[in-house]
Amino acid sequence: GAAVPKEQRQGWGQFLKSIATFSGDLSSMTAPSFILSPVSLTEYPSYWCEHPEEFAAIAQGKDQIERMTLVLKWFIGTLKGQYTARNTSMGSEKKPLNPVLGELFLGKWPEKGSRGETTLVSEQVSHHPPVTAYHIENAKAGVSLEGHNAQKTSFSGRTIQVKQVGHAILRVKPQGSSEEELYLLTLPNLLIEGLWYGSPYVELSGSSYIQSSAGLTATVNYAGKGYFSGKAHSFKATIGSGSNALYTIEGEWVGTSKFKGKSPSGKKDEVFWDASTPREELEVQAIDSQGPMESRNIWKHVADGIRSGDYEAASKDKSRIENEQRQKRKDEAAAGTPHQLEYFVHLDDDKEYAELAAHFGGKPANEDGYRRKPRA
Ligand code: HCR
């Protein structure tokens, strides 16, 4: 393949063979160096808020239909970053660094105009299997998002299939109302394609849902090349109440999407979202002033090695980190003091999830969840 460096072709072939017969946690597999990303998975929750204005605007919707439309627009607006950002910044999807237990990623999108500051707290709440919990909040706007992410991977033919495990709950305090509105977000399935050429990219498949506590449901159906639009990275969404469809939106989540038929303004083919809207990266403390558990601090030598092509240095420091972690777990077990989460509490049964998920079919009634610990 064109994207695989000549001296790594054999290694890439072996890697693909081992994924084909492997079941479980891809992130723990050793992969050829050209496919390694210097970025840890704990950073990924920041993709949820790279359009901080859209996030803040949700609470300004004047009724539940307008607010659901704003939630869907913000959600669709995150997809390009979530699933294609690495192709843009690194040339292909890459294998993220596998976070250590308790790893943190903290940052903010500063106050700008009237939008208010938005903060992000992301924590690795499990190492095996990898689970990341996150909390994003714009207190001034009255909008917050809380969720967790894990993956179940399988291999079929030429494609890695990734089922996302976990969900997110968006809390909105509508302007001029004291009652909180909740939105449950489920996550799409991923297909990792382009593997044989050594230039993996993500396509989305299946459906995801947004369910509001006020009773509205948005259903998003994803499709790649050769499906309903014939174009890659496409979707079709409907906002509805029961079997009554209010709006239908169609297009590409990497490009533009439009209302089909009825639109809020009454105009024909009204644009819903334009994915060329610039994304705003969050601000993170300089590594020198970061705490010992902060992601970029933990991985600095590994990331430097990957970025500069010094893979030996990268792999040496990665082994040091992993050994240190194994020792930590042994010490904790011996002392009878298991690792404590810093920012989150784990719920065996997320009741808010169950209540909202009951509105749409085919979902398990029970799922675990994470909540941000109350602050002092
Ligand atoms: C599957 C994946 C790790 C998980 C990544 C997730 C699902 C994490 C949550 C974000 O909100 C969205 C997201 C986007 C990424 O596309 C997805 C990653 C793609 C590849 C990676 C595998 C563990 C690595 C597989 C190794 C391949 C590239 C050879």
Side-chain angles (χ1 to χ4, degrees), residues 303-311:
D304 281 350
I306 293 173
R307 286 203 177 94
S308 67
D310 188 349
Y311 298 112

Short mmCIF file of all heavy atoms in Angstrom, two decimals, residues 303-311:
data_model
loop_
_atom_site.label_atom_id
_atom_site.label_comp_id
_atom_site.label_asym_id
_atom_site.label_seq_id
_atom_site.Cartn_x
_atom_site.Cartn_y
_atom_site.Cartn_z
N ALA A 303 5.10 11.13 23.25
CA ALA A 303 4.57 11.98 22.17
C ALA A 303 5.71 12.63 21.39
O ALA A 303 5.69 12.67 20.16
CB ALA A 303 3.62 13.03 22.74
N ASP A 304 6.73 13.13 22.11
CA ASP A 304 7.89 13.72 21.44
C ASP A 304 8.55 12.72 20.51
O ASP A 304 8.90 13.03 19.37
CB ASP A 304 8.94 14.17 22.48
CG ASP A 304 8.58 15.50 23.12
OD1 ASP A 304 7.62 16.15 22.63
OD2 ASP A 304 9.25 15.87 24.12
N GLY A 305 8.72 11.49 21.01
CA GLY A 305 9.35 10.43 20.22
C GLY A 305 8.55 10.13 18.96
O GLY A 305 9.12 10.02 17.87
N ILE A 306 7.23 10.02 19.10
CA ILE A 306 6.38 9.72 17.93
C ILE A 306 6.45 10.89 16.94
O ILE A 306 6.60 10.69 15.74
CB ILE A 306 4.92 9.43 18.36
CG1 ILE A 306 4.87 8.12 19.15
CG2 ILE A 306 4.00 9.38 17.15
CD1 ILE A 306 3.52 7.80 19.79
N ARG A 307 6.39 12.12 17.46
CA ARG A 307 6.40 13.29 16.57
C ARG A 307 7.72 13.43 15.83
O ARG A 307 7.76 13.83 14.68
CB ARG A 307 6.10 14.56 17.36
CG ARG A 307 4.64 14.67 17.77
CD ARG A 307 4.21 16.11 18.04
NE ARG A 307 2.78 16.14 18.34
CZ ARG A 307 2.27 16.09 19.58
NH1 ARG A 307 3.07 16.08 20.63
NH2 ARG A 307 0.96 16.09 19.75
N SER A 308 8.83 13.10 16.49
CA SER A 308 10.13 13.32 15.86
C SER A 308 10.64 12.08 15.15
O SER A 308 11.72 12.10 14.55
CB SER A 308 11.15 13.75 16.92
OG SER A 308 11.37 12.67 17.81
N GLY A 309 9.88 10.97 15.24
CA GLY A 309 10.31 9.75 14.56
C GLY A 309 11.31 8.94 15.38
O GLY A 309 11.89 7.98 14.89
N ASP A 310 11.52 9.32 16.64
CA ASP A 310 12.40 8.55 17.51
C ASP A 310 11.54 7.51 18.26
O ASP A 310 11.22 7.67 19.44
CB ASP A 310 13.11 9.49 18.50
CG ASP A 310 14.19 8.76 19.30
OD1 ASP A 310 14.24 7.51 19.24
OD2 ASP A 310 14.99 9.44 19.98
N TYR A 311 11.19 6.45 17.53
CA TYR A 311 10.25 5.46 18.06
C TYR A 311 10.85 4.63 19.18
O TYR A 311 10.14 4.09 20.01
CB TYR A 311 9.73 4.58 16.94
CG TYR A 311 8.97 5.38 15.90
CD1 TYR A 311 9.46 5.54 14.61
CD2 TYR A 311 7.76 6.00 16.24
CE1 TYR A 311 8.77 6.30 13.68
CE2 TYR A 311 7.07 6.77 15.31
CZ TYR A 311 7.58 6.91 14.03
OH TYR A 311 6.91 7.66 13.12
#
